[in-house]
């Protein structure tokens, strides 16, 4: 144990912040340099108090550099998604294509007619922009765009049923993602939640019995991220709609993904158009799930109801910005012109197995030449999933690489890949690291190769 005097001596020997900064160099903003240097010195001080030696100036600068590096890592930045999860909420849901990005660039880089009617020279509304295209695509009378689908559900219930009752099947009181729980959103809107049926079975009579003079609506929620299997019963939307119509209450259908047309891979997902044919008064869905666009929430349906939503004060707090609207319009326009296959999501989903296997083989060959003895890279059949609360149970056959290393665990390999620029995110399962190529655009293959080779070296 160091004596008191010796301890103070060591503490006093620590350099001033300015000296650590001078040693650090680099291009980070002054406040970040100061914070990193200060943190390194504070840590050294604690270590000395715990009996450790005083670090050299170089050591302190090294630690400060590490803090700066970690700060850089927190910036919003591109990553390579090699998880095979197509709609990856944690990795930004879906990528946008050239047309979508160009639409954003044009509107963001200058002034626009966001709330200006160019035809009349008068004040316009931002809600006019994407909504006409939504109506053309889905057959809805009217529509409204907000920040995300959670906001769409919240606004709908706030405007239609605050202080009133909304009936929902217990089988649909779901949690979607970490923070979105249907019963919580319903409660936040001021709606009284009336649960009917059981987790696995709900019948039309359950809904019927629950209707009171205070009932505003029946809400149906599409099981986006789960399946109830076995002894189950759910009431078809068509029957719920007929009941709601007869009793003069609204039928709201939260579709989640909101499929515009059948892409050939999305089994069992309801089309927005069919939800209307089945009698929904309003439907809600996301912009960045199977639609393949930016984060947004869409409410569409009867003009009279949409008008109510449009006049609700909450709308001002949920309104989308011009970049979202620009990207959404471009997305809807591609769907309208029958060019949805050029959306990155659809393109990735429909890439052929042969193509994926070919790319995997090419990458494996290139890697083998660069790697040491202990490392193995194998071309492996995999299965990609839709993700993002879409198409539970759907698996698309895929191809990718399995990477294993005699000396390093798969978690360690994944860590090394995460530390690259750009970070590569794979899938760790049973001590193997899988890199699924379905979610990696071919033009990122060279970068992927570079990053994997770097992560596996030494
Ligand atoms: C995903 C989803 C939501 C939430 O949508 P966000 O756009 O993520 O806010 C709500 N309901 C259902 C059924 C969903 O699948």
């Amino acid at each position: 144990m160091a004596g008191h005097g010796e301890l103070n001596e060591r503490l006093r020997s620590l350099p001033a912040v300015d000296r650590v900064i001078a040693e650090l160099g680099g291009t980070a903003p002054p406040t970040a340099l100061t914070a990193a240097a200060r943190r390194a010195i504070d840590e050294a001080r604690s270590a000395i108090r715990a009996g450790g030696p005083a670090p050299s100036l170089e050591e302190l600068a090294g630690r400060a550099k590490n803090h700066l590096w970690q700060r850089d890592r927190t910036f919003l930045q591109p990553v390579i998604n090699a998880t095979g999860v197509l709609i990856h909420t944690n990795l930004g849901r879906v990528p946008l294509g050239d047309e979508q990005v160009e639409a954003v660039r044009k509107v963001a880089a200058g002034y626009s007619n966001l709330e200006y009617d160019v035809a009349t020279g008068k004040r316009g509304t931002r809600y006019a922009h994407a909504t006409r295209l939504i109506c053309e695509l889905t057959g809805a009378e009217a529509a409204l765009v907000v920040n995300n689908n959670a906001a769409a559900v919240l606004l709908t219930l706030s405007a239609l049923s605050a202080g009133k009752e909304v009936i929902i099947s217990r089988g649909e009181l779901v949690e979607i993602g970490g923070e979105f729980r249907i019963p919580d959103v319903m409660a936040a809107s001021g709606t009284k939640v009336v649960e009917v049926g059981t987790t696995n079975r709900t019948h039309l009579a359950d809904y019927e019995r629950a209707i009171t003079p205070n009932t505003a609506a029946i809400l149906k929620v599409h099981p986006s991220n789960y399946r109830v299997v076995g002894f189950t019963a759910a009431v078809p939307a068509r029957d719920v709609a007929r009941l709601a119509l007869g009793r003069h209450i609204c039928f709201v259908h939260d579709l989640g993904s909101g499929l515009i047309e059948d892409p050939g891979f999305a089994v069992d997902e309801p089309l927005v158009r069919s939800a209307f044919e089945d009698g929904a008064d309003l439907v809600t869905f996301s912009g960045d799930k199977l639609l393949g666009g930016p984060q947004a929430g869409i409410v569409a349906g009867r003009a009279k109801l949409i008008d109510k939503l449009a006049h609700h004060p909450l709308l001002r707090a949920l309104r989308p910005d011009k970049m979202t609207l620009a990207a959404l319009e471009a997305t809807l326009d591609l769907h309208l012109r029958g060019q949805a296959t050029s959306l990155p999501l659809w393109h990735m989903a429909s890439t052929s197995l042969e193509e994926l296997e070919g790319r995997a083989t090419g990458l494996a060959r290139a890697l083998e030449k660069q790697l040491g003895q202990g490392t193995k890279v194998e071309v492996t059949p995999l299965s990609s999933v839709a993700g993002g609360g879409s198409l539970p149970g759907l698996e698309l056959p895929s191809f990718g690489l399995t990477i294993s290393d005699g000396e390093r665990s798969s978690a360690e390999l994944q860590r090394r890949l995460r530390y690259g620029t750009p970070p590569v995110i794979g899938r760790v399962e049973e001590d193997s690291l899988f890199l699924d190529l379905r979610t990696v655009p071919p033009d990122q293959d060279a970068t992927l190769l570079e990053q994997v080779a770097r992560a596996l070296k030494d």
Side-chain angles (χ1 to χ4, degrees), residues 126-180:
R126 74 177 62 216
Y127 301 104
H129 293 292
T131 47
R132 204 189 60 245
L133 304 186
I134 295 166
C135 295
E136 286 174 17
L137 268 173
T138 65
E141 284 174 19
L144 207 52
V145 178
V146 289
N147 264 325
N148 53 30
N149 190 27
V153 175
L154 178 67
L155 176 67
T156 301
L157 296 176
S158 301
L160 300 186
S161 56
K164 296 196 181 137
E165 293 163 8
V166 169
I167 303 171
I168 182 166
S169 161
R170 287 200 172 90
E172 296 171 7
L173 286 169
V174 299
E175 174 177 303
I176 291 151
E179 310 99 41
F180 184 80

Side-chain angles (χ1 to χ4, degrees), residues 89 93 147-153 174 176-177 180 182 220-225 254-257 269 284-289 295-297 388-390:
T89 300
R93 287 261 168 100
N147 264 325
N148 53 30
N149 190 27
V153 175
V174 299
I176 291 151
F180 184 80
I182 289 285
K220 221 175 149 44
V221 178
H222 178 65
S224 293
N225 57 354
D254 175 18
L255 298 173
S257 245
E269 200 67 14
T284 60
F285 57 98
S286 289
D288 53 355
K289 288 183 180 170
Q295 179 191 305
S390 304

